[in-house]
Amino acid sequence: MANLSEFELIDQYFGGQIASYGVNLGIGDDCALLTVPQGRQLAVSIDTLIGGSHFPKNADPELIAERALRVSISDLAAMGADPMWMTLAITLPSAESQWLAGFSRGLFRSAEEFNISLVGGDTTRGPLAVTLQVHGSVEPEKAMLRSEARVGDIVFVTGTVGDGAAALAVIKKELEVGKSAFSYFMSRYYTPKIQIRPMRALADVSRCAIDISDGLLADLGHICNASGVGAVIEAERLPLSDPLRKLTDSETALNWALAGGDDYQVCFTVSPNKIARLEELQEQHQIECTAIGEIVRGKDCVCLSEGRVVVPERTGYKHF
Amino acid sequence: MANLSEFELIDQYFGGQIASYGVNLGIGDDCALLTVPQGRQLAVSIDTLIGGSHFPKNADPELIAERALRVSISDLAAMGADPMWMTLAITLPSAESQWLAGFSRGLFRSAEEFNISLVGGDTTRGPLAVTLQVHGSVEPEKAMLRSEARVGDIVFVTGTVGDGAAALAVIKKELEVGKSAFSYFMSRYYTPKIQIRPMRALADVSRCAIDISDGLLADLGHICNASGVGAVIEAERLPLSDPLRKLTDSETALNWALAGGDDYQVCFTVSPNKIARLEELQEQHQIECTAIGEIVRGKDCVCLSEGRVVVPERTGYKHF
């Protein structure tokens, strides 16, 4: 399929999608034309995944697409925004139809789950890379910002932490696991569960959130920096999954939970006077979240275990 | 500077920009938050330039940035949209401060010219590539679409064509040129002049436009496909620059003009009853454009020279 031109490629694998809300003009012109719902702000986030770095080059293209979209959608979730549209810039060493068919299948399956439509893109030849920009909308006063943590707020995290780093070790075959654990970690890595509706509900009680991509301590550190506060969390309160506890010793598990990254859970803060309302929302929307600490004066973001500061080995994934 | 983290890198080279119109939240959170002017549509376009393919890997980073932004802005111009915001996903083999300083200088210089602000991005380590998404706004009835050419419309092109391909030959040193010609073609390649205001004015008389990135015949062909029409243009009417005429024989020049690509001029169509108004606009806004042919029934897009069909050697740049 070396002669498949860019235009045929786009038509064949990425065209023909049903236009969704607010799409005045989709794929196939110089620009896509979009209408943001009246009175709402546009929320945008762009992310690149590099083959051989953010996923194995020989990974299943369906899973690459699912991971790429979920990693991006996670930023909308952490903002409390509704997904609307995406654009895709994909770079491929060659236009292999089987690879493309798998990729588009994975992309559109996830797109349907999150109710987001592909409105434009660019295909180029080169080393494997996937760049997605996601566009969402949010009510002006409902966006959850890194800068809105206040001293006294309780720090929460959704789901469990540490599974992203554990999954990477499993996928890289640094650890031996049974079939069911392998399948658990594969799905944590490639198809992390992004909770769009629960996060929108949380915007009623939280003004401050971030998604955990760099590692819990690093990402909570971004909140502290942006808000001019400090934070203290407790190792014993961190929600760890059973597969993680079974996979490794408690020290490694704690390290991954604090500094592993790639969890795509959300860390958020809630003022003490809104905890009762949060509990109502948790029940109403089946929100899984755990209180892990508190926002304090200062600028340090620390984790205590039995009163002593835990210093994880690796604080967040650094690209350079 | 191998230890420069992503966060320091973003702060140092891409932060600190003055927030411009409609930016509620810029760089530094999970998403940027933006307000599209009331009653206008959002126009978005994403483009990737690969090092070693779309520009030489050792090219001046200032020029890489200028070209990347202009190539993207060209899509907004062809739509008649006002530039507003951009996001940047940049992949680098290593974080070299000198390279980054040059790139950001070029990016912000062009950004100032087009009144567009950087609102978000992602930096990754890998083979050199630059992906830019530009966001503009346009009045709903003013966007110029590929699908709006009508039989009888006159076909126009802005500026001159063929310089993009000539410039590539010059840069690749396939042709020897003097100092002033070299400088002309370098600027045509790296800093093509994108005419935002003239194109917005043209939206008064044109409903159909496309930017010339793949080559005049290929891009006019996209118009024909999308509009369900054919087009006939005349070789003798194509606007060629003096440096191009001096650089090569007339056959090569014609070939580059028709099929060379990378011109970033705009091809647009105007109904005959609006030609008088177009001429007024041309004078008022100093719009350089040339009538080169006509939209006809059918679906073929051809160029005639003295009554015979010209078949260029290469019809548009194909990425795969």
Side-chain angles (χ1 to χ4, degrees), chain B residues 228-295:
Chain B
V229 297
V232 179
I233 61 174
E234 288 172 54
E236 290 72 21
R237 297 169 79 178
L238 295 179
L240 307 183
S241 72
D242 285 340
L244 176 60
R245 288 180 196 279
K246 281 179 194 152
L247 182 72
T248 186
D249 60 274
S250 61
E251 196 184 337
T252 304
L254 177 59
N255 204 60
W256 283 343
L258 289 175
D262 275 337
D263 277 325
Y264 304 106
Q265 297 294 342
V266 176
C267 177
F268 62 98
T269 79
V270 178
S271 161
N273 64 18
K274 292 194 171 158
I275 297 295
R277 176 76 185 122
L278 170 64
E279 284 165 2
E280 287 172 18
L281 289 174
Q282 276 187 273
E283 193 154 323
Q284 199 179 334
H285 295 275
Q286 284 96 50
I287 302 171
E288 286 168 34
C289 62
T290 311
I292 57 169
E294 200 179 329
I295 297 296

Side-chain angles (χ1 to χ4, degrees), chain A residues 189-313:
Chain A
Y189 193 78
Y190 284 110
T191 54
K193 197 176 163 193
I194 312 298
Q195 309 200 43
I196 289 292
R197 279 164 195 265
M199 289 314 298
R200 278 167 44 204
L202 276 181
D204 267 357
V205 293
S206 173
R207 297 284 301 123
C208 171
I210 191 168
D211 80 321
I212 302 173
S213 52
D214 297 320
L216 176 59
L217 264 192
D219 288 312
L220 183 54
H222 297 328
I223 284 183
C224 291
N225 277 341
S227 299
V229 297
V232 179
I233 60 175
E234 287 172 56
E236 290 70 22
R237 297 169 78 176
L238 294 179
L240 306 184
S241 71
D242 284 341
L244 176 61
R245 288 180 197 277
K246 281 178 195 153
L247 183 72
T248 186
D249 60 274
S250 61
E251 196 184 338
T252 304
L254 177 60
N255 205 58
W256 283 342
L258 289 175
D262 276 337
D263 277 325
Y264 304 106
Q265 297 293 341
V266 176
C267 177
F268 62 98
T269 78
V270 178
S271 160
N273 63 20
K274 291 194 172 157
I275 295 296
R277 175 78 185 121
L278 170 65
E279 284 165 2
E280 285 171 19
L281 290 173
Q282 276 186 272
E283 192 153 325
Q284 198 178 335
H285 296 274
Q286 284 96 49
I287 303 171
E288 287 168 34
C289 62
T290 310
I292 58 170
E294 199 179 333
I295 297 295
V296 298
R297 286 181 204 283
K299 55 180 192 165
D300 295 325
C301 174
V302 296
C303 178
L304 299 182
S305 177
E306 294 170 358
R308 287 167 52 185
V309 173
V310 182
V311 180
E313 268 173 42

Side-chain angles (χ1 to χ4, degrees), chain A residues 4 6 24 29-34 41-44 48 87 89 122 124-125 133 135 146 210-211 319-320, chain B residues 4 6 24 29-34 41-44 48 87 89 122 124-125 133 135 146 210-211 319-320:
Chain A
L4 196 66
E6 181 187 14
N24 306 106
D29 212 308
D30 293 304
C31 295
L33 294 177
L34 309 165
Q41 288 177 345
L42 175 71
V44 302
T48 298
T87 52
D122 190 22
T124 45
R125 188 200 280 273
Q133 173 154 331
H135 311 66
R146 296 182 184 187
I210 191 168
D211 80 321
H319 295 293
F320 290 101
Chain B
L4 196 64
E6 181 186 16
N24 306 106
D29 212 308
D30 293 304
C31 296
L33 293 177
L34 309 165
Q41 288 176 343
L42 175 71
V44 302
T48 298
T87 51
D122 190 23
T124 45
R125 185 198 283 270
Q133 172 152 331
H135 311 65
R146 296 181 183 187
I210 190 169
D211 80 322
H319 296 292
F320 289 102

Side-chain angles (χ1 to χ4, degrees), chain B residues 24 63 66 87 102 144-145 147 167 240 249 257 286 308:
Chain B
N24 306 106
L63 293 179
E66 292 223 49
T87 51
M144 293 178 283
L145 311 184
S147 56
L240 307 183
D249 60 274
Q286 284 96 50
R308 287 167 52 185

Side-chain angles (χ1 to χ4, degrees), chain B residues 53-180:
Chain B
S53 169
H54 298 98
F55 59 84
K57 281 186 186 173
N58 62 357
D60 179 344
E62 269 190 73
L63 293 179
I64 296 171
E66 292 223 49
R67 177 166 159 79
L69 183 52
R70 284 158 192 273
V71 163
S72 292
I73 289 277
S74 176
D75 286 314
L76 293 178
M79 214 77 188
D82 281 319
M84 300 201 67
W85 315 296
M86 60 178 166
T87 51
L88 167 69
I90 188 166
T91 304
L92 300 171
S94 63
E96 287 169 33
S97 57
Q98 208 181 337
W99 195 97
L100 282 161
F103 186 89
S104 71
R105 206 159 48 232
L107 186 72
F108 288 124
R109 187 169 55 226
S110 281
E112 202 178 321
E113 179 180 337
F114 297 110
N115 201 18
I116 191 168
S117 59
L118 183 68
V119 296
D122 190 23
T123 50
T124 45
R125 185 198 283 270
L128 182 59
V130 178
T131 299
L132 264 177
Q133 172 152 331
V134 289
H135 311 65
S137 77
V138 62
E139 289 172 51
E141 297 309 310
K142 285 293 185 76
M144 293 178 283
L145 311 184
R146 296 181 183 187
S147 56
E148 293 291 324
R150 297 290 175 261
V151 172
D153 280 3
I154 311 299
V155 178
F156 287 84
V157 67
T158 63
T160 58
V161 283
D163 286 343
L168 197 60
V170 167
I171 289 168
K172 289 162 85 176
K173 300 199 195 303
E174 292 166 3
L175 289 171
E176 284 283 320
V177 292
K179 207 171 168 183
S180 96

